């Protein structure tokens, strides 16, 4: 599939493709080749205004209608997915470097997974109820939803937010990452083909500092939902709260994984890497701080080296289960800086390390890396790295493990490997985070995704995702 740059010269506003009035452009770079594949035209202030105005008209007209109407609308969107599945997979691979098999089997499929989870939740959702005290509660759409999404699982994050907002009855203005606008364009084409009411879904492109900030600060936007860096999330949250708007923030993490001496170390390390390395480590809930009971530390280092040997790098356009590059040059530089710092401070490199892999001088490829013997407070332990890198650290006992795990500004996920139910239960209770995964288990679609502290505010997915876009209204009648 080839894209012409004209594909990215339009916003989608009020049910129509509308030429961008802004003057700023930025290239979309293929991270495997470091070459531009398209030119993104950023929305101007008038385009943001028009998108919010279209959403406002749709909101005032209650254009998304009844629950049955919204179910029918999401089902029409579902029928449009099949014919665009491969386009989505190709676009994501091209613009953020996901290997094509991962892009087909995981990245693009998240459209359908989140759509079905939203539909399931919507079918059973009660928008009105009578309380035991006789009063009534109704759940109404909060209003215009401003959605800002990142580049790492781009169609997943768009789907999680847009389907939940539409299910709740909120018209949306979506601003996807400026690094990955191609999949967002296809997403909009699928929604356009489904025949949504004008203004129910609007797409504007551009960077965070101008287009994203204008959307966030807009007085008519009633709820902001954001996924991305903690820096941007905290700015967006502060701005939303200042003007009395709701906000849901998903801001990433530095998730600890506690490995106890009774665990099968080879199995544990294989599962840990299978959660961290795919998508080149650009997964906000990845277990990246691996805390190992001191008595098993030496054996765990060897098991980690054996598990890492199974991972290779390769061309994302080629079929296979290799890793691709990281998504952009800034990401590559950030990872290298953290690796250099850790090694200078005395970390042992068990595999991988700094610099480009041999024979891969072009492309933002990062060697799958395992560091050991890292100081407890090292930057590489504290900062989200967003690359195929894990850090191994020993702990003395359960209390020490919990203290190390919770000594972080993040609180997204926690992982535990042990067959002892008492240890599992203590870890589940005491970790300060939004999700705990035991012995390599995974999250099922529709479960609430999100975290505590600087990992976020609120939850996405299924019923919990829809609730983020609803306002509770109490209704009392005379007795
Ligand atoms: P970012 O937060 O800068 O960008 C994410 C989205 O927010 C983009 O759409 C961007 O245009 C927008 N944005 C940025 N600043 C904004 C602002 N002030 N107001 C409104 N919108 C704004 O993230 P990034 O530069 O793409 O990545 C930087 C780091 O963020 C990564 O290294 C990684 O640690 C983290 N990250 C986390 C996730 C996640 O899933 N939690 C996803 C992507 C990146």
């Amino acid at each position: 599939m080839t894209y012409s740059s004209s594909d990215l010269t339009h916003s989608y506003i009020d049910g129509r493709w509308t030429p961008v009035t802004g003057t700023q452009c930025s290239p979309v770079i293929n991270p495997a080749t470091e070459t531009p594949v398209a030119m993104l035209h950023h929305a101007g202030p008038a385009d943001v205004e028009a998108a919010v105005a279209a959403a406002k008209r749709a909101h005032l007209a209650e254009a998304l209608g009844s629950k049955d109407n919204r179910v029918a609308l999401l089902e029409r969107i579902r029928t449009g997915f099949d014919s665009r599945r491969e386009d989505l997979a190709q676009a994501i691979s091209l613009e953020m470097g996901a290997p094509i098999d991962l892009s087909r089997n995981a990245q693009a499929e998240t459209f359908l997974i989140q759509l079905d989870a939203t539909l399931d939740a919507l079918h059973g959702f009660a928008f009105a109820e009578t309380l035991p005290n006789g009063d009534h509660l109704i759940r109404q759409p909060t209003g215009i939803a401003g959605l800002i999404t990142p580049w790492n699982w781009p169609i997943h994050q768009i789907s999680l937010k847009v389907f939940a907002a539409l299910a709740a009855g909120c018209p949306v203005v979506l601003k996807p990452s400026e690094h990955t606008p191609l999949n967002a364009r296809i997403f909009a084409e699928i929604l356009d083909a489904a025949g949504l009411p004008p203004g129910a879904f609007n797409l504007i492109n551009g960077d965070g500092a101008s287009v994203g900030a204008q959307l966030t600060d807009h007085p008519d936007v009633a709820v902001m939902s954001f996924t991305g860096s903690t820096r941007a999330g905290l700015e967006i949250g502060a701005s939303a709260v200042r003007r009395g708007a709701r906000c849901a923030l998903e801001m990433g993490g530095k998730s600890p994984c506690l490995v106890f001496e009774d665990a099968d170390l080879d199995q544990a390390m294989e599962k840990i890497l299978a959660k961290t390395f795919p998508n080149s480590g650009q997964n906000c809930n990845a277990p990246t701080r691996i805390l190992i009971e001191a008595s098993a530390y030496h054996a765990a280092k060897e098991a980690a080296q054996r598990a890492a040997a199974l991972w290779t790098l390769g061309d994302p356009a080629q079929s296979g289960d290799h890793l691709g590059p990281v998504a952009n040059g800034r990401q590559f530089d950030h990872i290298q800086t953290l690796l250099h710092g850790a090694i200078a401070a005395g970390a042992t490199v068990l595999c991988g390390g700094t610099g480009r892999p041999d024979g891969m001088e072009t492309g933002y490829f990062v060697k799958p890396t395992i560091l050991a013997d890292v100081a407890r407070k090292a930057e590489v332990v504290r900062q989200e790295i967003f690359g195929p890198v894990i850090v191994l650290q020993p702990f003395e006992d359960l209390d020490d493990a919990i203290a190390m795990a919770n000594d972080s500004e993040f609180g997204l996920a926690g992982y535990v490997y042990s067959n002892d139910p008492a240890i599992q239960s203590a870890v589940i209770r005491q970790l300060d985070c939004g999700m705990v995964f035991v012995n390599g288990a995974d999250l099922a679609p529709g479960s609430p995704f999100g975290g505590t502290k600087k990992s976020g505010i609120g939850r996405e997915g299924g019923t919990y995702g829809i609730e983020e876009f609803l306002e509770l209204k109490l209704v009392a009648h005379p007795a």
Side-chain angles (χ1 to χ4, degrees), residues 363-439:
Y364 303 120
F365 291 93
V366 174
K367 298 176 208 169
T369 297
I370 301 182
L371 301 179
D373 313 325
V374 178
R376 286 195 174 201
K377 304 259 182 212
E379 277 302 298
V380 75
V381 174
R382 307 196 74 76
Q383 278 198 42
E384 185 171 42
I385 194 160
F386 240 49
V389 178
I390 64 167
V391 172
L392 309 186
Q393 295 176 289
F395 65 80
E396 292 308 324
D397 55 22
L398 179 62
D399 287 348
D400 190 35
I402 298 286
M404 286 174 78
N406 287 340
D407 183 18
S408 168
E409 61 178 9
F410 297 109
L412 188 53
Y415 298 77
V416 55
Y417 286 84
S418 170
N419 296 310
D420 181 339
I423 289 179
Q424 291 176 7
S425 131
V427 171
I428 291 167
R429 277 186 288 109
Q430 293 181 51
L431 282 190
D432 186 359
C433 62
M435 307 174 279
V436 180
F437 301 100
V438 179
N439 290 334

Side-chain angles (χ1 to χ4, degrees), residues 148-152 157 175-178 206-208 212-213 216 226-229 231-232 235-236 250-252 284 330-331 334 384 386:
I148 297 186
T149 55
W151 42 259
N152 58 325
Q157 286 136 342
K175 193 212 80 63
S177 169
E178 60 273 35
D207 63 13
T216 304
F226 165 83
T227 301
S229 66
R231 172 201 60 80
E235 282 177 30
I236 289 167
E250 205 282 274
M251 304 184 289
C284 52
R330 202 176 73 174
Q331 208 50 44
H334 167 72
E384 185 171 42
F386 240 49

Side-chain angles (χ1 to χ4, degrees), residues 8 26-31 37-38 40 42 91-92 94-97 149-152 154 175-184 205-208 327-331 364:
L8 300 176
S26 61
V28 179
I29 308 283
N30 176 348
V37 292
L40 179 69
H42 295 212
I92 293 167
L94 192 66
E95 63 191 340
M96 60 78 64
T149 55
W151 42 259
N152 58 325
K175 193 212 80 63
S177 169
E178 60 273 35
H179 297 293
T180 51
L182 296 174
N183 73 90
N205 279 304
D207 63 13
N328 55 60
R330 202 176 73 174
Q331 208 50 44
Y364 303 120

